[in-house]
């Protein structure tokens, strides 16, 4: 059974060279149970509320398996929270979760909404590895943003149960690869159409950002 290895919240707001001037990407593991509410984990925060946070990006999850790949490439351990994630999982293909997939963790129900889009703040957090934004994009190991469907609490050691997987089958990696025209990716129009058909038919509720990009991809 997939499990939750760590729950991470902001440790400190750090100075940053970006337009906001500070960043809350410094997430670190906390002990005990943590409440999850519509806008995220209790006592967590986002510094850049324009591009991060909100109901559709309330929680960010990253897989230990993907972190280990990056650790080997970067030459140091990618500890829980280093990528700014709230949840570090094991045994779950987070970056290949189906859009709209739902996870039960503790008493909380979470829903996969969209992939993480890397930015320069993320690169600066890691002391700017060469071409980091492009490397992260090309690897297509994005992690998953989640919305909170049912309030609850969760903690390290909880099982992660996939309780719903939509039939449309489009994964975060499918969408991210197609949208960024990565090698071997599916046709963008096909992926966008599948997502919008599922959204319009009530099978999933796409985030505003993903829906708008899908519509634009089809020239709507």
């Amino acid at each position: 059974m997939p499990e939750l290895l760590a729950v991470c919240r902001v440790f400190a707001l750090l100075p940053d060279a970006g337009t906001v001037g500070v960043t809350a990407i410094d997430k670190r593991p906390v002990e005990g149970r943590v409440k999850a509410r519509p806008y995220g984990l209790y006592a967590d925060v986002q510094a850049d509320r324009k591009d991060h946070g909100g109901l559709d990006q309330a929680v960010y999850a990253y897989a230990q398996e993907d972190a280990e790949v990056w650790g080997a490439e970067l030459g140091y351990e990618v500890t829980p929270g280093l990528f700014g994630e709230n949840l570090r999982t094991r045994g779950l293909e987070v970056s290949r979760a189906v859009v709209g997939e739902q996870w039960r963790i503790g008493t909380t129900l979470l829903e996969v909404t969209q992939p993480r889009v890397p930015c320069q703040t993320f690169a600066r957090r890691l002391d700017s590895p060469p071409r980091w934004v492009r490397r992260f994009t090309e690897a297509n190991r994005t992690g998953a943003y989640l919305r909170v469907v049912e309030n609850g609490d969760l903690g390290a050691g909880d099982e992660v149960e996939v309780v719903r997987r939509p039939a449309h089958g489009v994964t975060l990696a499918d969408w991210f690869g197609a949208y960024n025209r990565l090698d071997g990716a599916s046709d963008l129009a096909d992926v966008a159409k599948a997502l919008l058909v599922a959204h319009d038919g009530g099978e999933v509720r796409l985030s505003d950002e993903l829906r708008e990009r899908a519509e634009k991809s089809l020239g709507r």
Side-chain angles (χ1 to χ4, degrees), residues 1-5 33 61 87-94 97-98 100-112 146-147 149-150 153-155 157-166:
M1 177 70 74
E3 66 175 323
L4 184 61
L5 294 180
R33 311 297 297 173
L87 308 179
R88 175 67 67 86
T89 68
R90 180 166 56 198
L92 185 67
E93 289 193 287
V94 173
V98 172
E101 186 172 299
Q102 292 185 347
W103 305 343
R104 175 72 67 182
I105 309 179
T107 60
T108 307
L109 184 64
L110 302 166
E111 184 173 287
V112 174
L146 307 156
R147 67 167 62 97
V149 179
E150 293 179 8
D153 62 68
L154 40 74
D158 284 349
E159 292 183 352
V160 181
E161 180 185 5
V162 179
V163 297
R164 179 176 181 267
R165 184 166 282 150

Side-chain angles (χ1 to χ4, degrees), residues 117-192:
V117 177
C119 62
Q120 291 301 327
T121 300
F122 182 24
R124 288 190 292 269
R125 165 67 169 158
L126 303 179
D127 293 328
S128 299
R131 298 177 59 254
W132 177 250
V133 169
R134 189 60 196 167
R135 287 164 64 189
F136 191 84
T137 298
E138 291 175 346
N140 204 353
R141 299 176 182 274
T142 64
Y145 278 119
L146 307 156
R147 67 167 62 97
V148 179
V149 179
E150 293 179 8
N151 295 348
D153 62 68
L154 40 74
D158 284 349
E159 292 183 352
V160 181
E161 180 185 5
V162 179
V163 297
R164 179 176 181 267
R165 184 166 282 150
H168 66 78
V170 177
T171 68
L172 297 177
D174 291 336
W175 165 253
F176 192 79
Y179 188 78
N180 289 284
R181 293 176 167 81
L182 301 181
D183 290 344
S186 300
D187 181 75
L188 177 57
D190 290 343
V191 174

